[in-house]
């Protein structure tokens, strides 16, 4: 065996990899078990770094600059439940293999894969796009009194709450040259169609017109002091905001705020992990030589592969257990 | 949940060879744990509901709500790690690695918190 490829890369060859099933005498573990835990340890540090960035930015945020209630809680709760169900089914898939029940294994693994796909689909086709069509402007503090009817800072001060500097909702008209002009045009058409009103577009060229979120439509209403479980529909009230009074204006994308920057970064990286897990599960579910074909020759080896992939999947679930409350709820 | 089922040195195709009885015993052992997995799963779903519900209860300050939310999340995470990931009863080799990881990740969080105690006077971070 002088060929370095067959010597060092048994993955690509038929060479026997030691301790895929039997325990190595020195560690007491089959090798992949130790390998996946070392990998997960590095993953803890990766996500740990991002979570500590979150803590850093949140603790450092000035009052009124860390938003709450901007995400869809029922949808997030549903996705959390889907991920937990997939964690149960992947354990069941592994247990089925250990009991040499191939049919049950295939069924449980299929359910796991479907759960992962639903999670990703909800995230990418609903949750993220909904944010990209939501718009907010932060008002310059010295100009905030002009917009008191949308900010409600007197009420917030009287009740001992953090001030509010942002006016958000759907953008219907953008200042000339804004790269949100196209989105505004689209929203304005939709607004006119829904309400029959055509006052959403102002002749002035340096105005933002925003169809307000409930919180800005009635900012002094106690009902709006705390986030709601069910998302409150956008009101039909409009706010006209001079571009010169605006500190920053953006859709709910990473550039909007440190909140959304960390939200998209962490949920994006988490989503990539979900995708990675799905790919591995598909490989183990389909009749590849290393997938269900392996069952015929070495069912214990396949069970161990499923256990390793499952450990990764549980870790991804575990990360989500923290991601969900810190972004959606608290 | 003993760990013996997850890494006992069962040879290839155990069910069909001389070690058949090992595999059968292991299968029976796992079968006995399936109810436990489902219970833990249902517990996690219930705790998810509790997390959401508690976030709408006013505990006096947003800070208090965060602490309560993180306690529930930590309980859930511990359930996943201990039962689904078989850490309960796992070999010491793995625990040693994880203890080191925990020390480093706590260090990382402490570094972050240090920025707010202004250890080098006048350098504390305070802007959005």
């Amino acid at each position: 065996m002088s060929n370095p490829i067959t010597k060092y890369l048994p993955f690509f060859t038929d060479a026997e990899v030691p301790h895929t099933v039997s325990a190595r005498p020195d560690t007491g573990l089959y090798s992949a078990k130790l390998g996946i835990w070392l990998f997960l340890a590095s993953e803890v540090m990766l996500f740990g770094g991002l979570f500590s960035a979150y803590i850093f930015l949140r603790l450092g945020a000035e009052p009124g600059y860390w938003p709450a209630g901007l995400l869809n809680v029922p949808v997030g709760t549903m996705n959390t439940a889907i991920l937990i169900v997939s964690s149960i089914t992947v354990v069941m898939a592994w247990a089925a293999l250990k009991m040499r029940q191939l049919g049950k294994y295939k069924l449980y693994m299929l359910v796991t894969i479907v759960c992962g796909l639903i999670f990703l689909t909800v995230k990418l086709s609903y949750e993220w796009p909904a944010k990209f069509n939501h718009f907010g402007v932060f008002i310059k503090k010295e100009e905030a009194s002009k917009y008191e009817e949308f900010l409600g800072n007197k009420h917030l001060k009287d009740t001992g709450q953090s001030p509010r500097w942002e006016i958000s909702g759907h953008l219907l008209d953008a200042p000339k040259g804004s790269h949100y002009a196209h989105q505004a045009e689209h929203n304005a058409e939709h607004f006119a169609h829904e309400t029959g009103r055509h006052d959403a577009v102002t002749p002035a060229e340096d105005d933002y017109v925003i169809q307000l979120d409930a919180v800005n439509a009635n900012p002094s209403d106690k009902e709006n002091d705390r986030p709601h479980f069910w998302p409150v529909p956008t009101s039909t009230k409009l706010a006209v905001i001079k571009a010169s009074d605006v500190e920053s204006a953006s859709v709910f994308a990473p550039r909007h705020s440190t909140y959304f920057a960390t939200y998209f970064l962490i949920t994006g990286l988490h989503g990539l992990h979900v995708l990675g897990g799905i790919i591995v599960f598909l490989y183990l579910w389909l009749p590849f030589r290393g997938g269900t074909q392996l069952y015929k020759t070495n069912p214990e080896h396949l069970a161990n592969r499923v256990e390793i992939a499952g450990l990764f999947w549980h870790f991804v679930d575990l990360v989500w257990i923290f991601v969900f409350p810190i972004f959606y709820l608290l | 949940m003993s760990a013996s089922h997850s890494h006992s040195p069962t040879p290839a195709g155990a069910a069909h060879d001389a070690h058949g009885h090992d595999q059968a015993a292991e299968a029976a052992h796992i079968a006995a744990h399936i109810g436990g997995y489902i219970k833990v799963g249902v517990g996690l779903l219930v705790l998810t509901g509790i997390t959401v519900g508690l976030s709408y209860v006013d505990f006096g300050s947003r800070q208090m709500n965060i602490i309560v939310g993180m306690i529930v999340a930590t309980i859930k995470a511990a359930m996943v790690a201990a039962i689904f990931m078989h850490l309960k009863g796992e070999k010491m080799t793995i625990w040693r690695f994880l203890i080191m990881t925990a020390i480093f990740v706590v260090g990382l969080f402490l570094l972050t918190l240090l920025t707010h105690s202004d250890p080098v006077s006048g350098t504390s971070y305070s802007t959005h």
Side-chain angles (χ1 to χ4, degrees):
Chain A
M1 279 279 199
S2 57
N3 182 341
I5 291 181
T6 50
K7 191 171 175 196
Y8 295 113
L9 294 175
F11 178 76
F12 297 103
T13 75
D14 290 326
E16 196 65 28
V17 178
H19 302 297
T20 53
V21 170
S22 61
R24 251 180 84 112
D26 49 0
T27 61
L29 301 160
Y30 67 89
S31 294
K33 184 71 155 290
L34 185 57
I36 191 75
W37 275 110
L38 288 175
F39 174 66
L40 292 183
S42 77
E43 290 270 90
V44 168
M45 295 311 286
L46 173 65
F47 279 101
L50 295 175
F51 280 124
S52 83
Y54 167 93
I55 297 171
F56 177 76
L57 292 168
R58 180 166 183 167
L59 289 177
E62 258 185 84
Y65 281 95
W66 195 269
L70 295 187
L71 300 178
N72 190 323
V73 178
V75 171
T77 307
M78 185 196 75
N79 250 357
T80 307
I82 287 170
L83 223 46
I84 290 171
V85 168
S86 76
S87 258
I88 304 170
T89 54
V90 83
V91 164
M92 300 299 281
W94 166 77
L97 271 186
K98 291 293 261 189
M99 294 184 289
R100 305 290 183 261
Q101 298 167 332
L102 185 64
K104 270 194 177 174
Y105 158 73
K106 283 185 180 164
L107 178 66
Y108 282 126
M109 197 51 118
L110 176 65
V111 176
T112 309
I113 293 166
V114 169
C115 284
L117 287 173
I118 295 174
F119 179 91
L120 273 189
T121 308
V122 168
K123 197 122 228 73
L124 292 176
S125 73
Y126 177 72
E127 285 195 275
W128 280 19
K131 295 305 127 202
F132 297 148
N133 191 29
H134 213 111
F135 193 84
V137 293
F138 285 97
I139 304 294
K140 287 178 182 161
K141 288 202 182 83
E142 60 273 22
E143 310 291 351
S145 57
K146 285 195 218 167
Y147 300 97
E148 174 61 16
E149 63 168 311
F150 308 123
L151 297 172
N153 278 327
K154 185 179 176 303
H155 160 74
L156 293 173
K157 197 176 175 192
D158 291 347
T159 48
Q161 300 177 73
S162 297
R164 184 179 291 130
W165 308 114
E166 184 178 28
I167 298 174
S168 63
H170 288 131
L171 182 68
L172 302 184
D173 192 19
K176 197 174 179 359
S178 159
H179 63 269
Y180 297 117
H182 184 71
Q183 183 177 104
E185 207 176 305
H186 179 82
N187 286 343
E189 266 170 39
H190 184 72
F191 179 75
H193 182 75
E194 292 276 294
T195 62
R197 283 164 57 185
H198 295 275
D199 55 339
V201 179
T202 67
E205 288 188 339
D206 59 346
D207 282 347
Y208 289 99
V209 179
I210 294 176
Q211 181 190 353
L212 294 171
D213 282 336
V215 69
N216 291 116
N218 298 298
S220 302
D221 189 341
K222 273 179 60 174
E223 274 286 294
N224 291 326
D225 284 353
R226 292 178 67 83
H228 299 265
F229 176 72
W230 297 106
V232 186
T234 318
S235 77
T236 51
K237 205 169 158 187
L238 305 181
V240 178
I241 299 147
K242 275 206 139 357
S244 55
D245 296 338
V246 167
E247 185 182 75
S248 69
S250 162
V251 291
F252 288 179
R255 71 189 295 270
H256 171 271
S257 56
T258 49
Y259 170 80
F260 274 117
T262 46
Y263 166 74
F264 283 108
L265 180 62
I266 293 178
T267 59
L269 185 67
H270 179 268
L272 280 176
H273 278 75
V274 173
L275 180 65
I278 291 170
I279 291 169
V280 172
F281 285 155
L282 272 175
Y283 176 74
L284 296 175
W285 181 67
L286 291 169
F288 287 114
R289 200 176 54 163
T292 45
Q293 288 270 324
L294 189 56
Y295 185 81
K296 289 178 200 151
T297 53
N298 195 342
E300 193 64 13
H301 190 182
L302 181 62
N304 283 351
R305 286 187 161 188
V306 171
E307 185 181 19
I308 295 308
L311 281 169
F312 173 76
W313 193 253
H314 296 309
F315 174 78
V316 174
D317 184 21
L318 197 147
V319 169
W320 185 259
I321 285 173
F322 288 99
V323 170
F324 174 59
I326 68 171
F327 287 108
Y328 287 74
L329 301 175
L330 301 172
Chain B
M1 191 107 1
S2 138
S4 59
H5 56 69
S6 54
H7 44 64
S8 64
T10 314
H16 311 293
D17 64 22
H19 297 272
H21 62 281
D22 284 354
Q23 205 283 319
E26 217 185 340
H29 183 72
I30 285 166
H33 283 296
I34 284 180
Y37 291 139
I38 292 177
K39 272 185 205 146
V40 169
V42 171
L44 287 169
L45 290 172
V46 170
L47 283 173
T48 302
I50 289 174
T51 309
V52 174
L54 286 180
S55 77
Y56 293 98
V57 177
D58 194 345
F59 285 100
S61 68
R62 208 167 165 185
Q63 243 169 345
M64 230 10 242
N65 276 67
I66 292 171
I67 291 168
V68 171
M70 285 301 101
I71 289 172
V72 181
T74 307
I75 294 169
K76 286 172 72 184
M79 284 165 71
V80 171
I83 310 300
F84 285 169
M85 300 175 88
H86 316 304
L87 267 187
K88 192 179 161 202
E90 187 55 278
K91 285 268 192 299
M92 256 331 269
T93 319
I94 284 170
W95 274 102
R96 282 193 201 99
F97 282 115
L98 291 182
I99 289 164
M100 287 309 286
T101 311
I103 291 169
F104 279 106
V105 89
V106 166
L108 187 65
F109 284 132
L110 284 181
L111 277 178
T112 305
L113 293 174
L114 264 185
T115 59
H116 288 275
S117 59
D118 201 9
V120 182
S121 130
T123 58
S124 100
Y125 175 87
S126 63
T127 180
H128 66 270

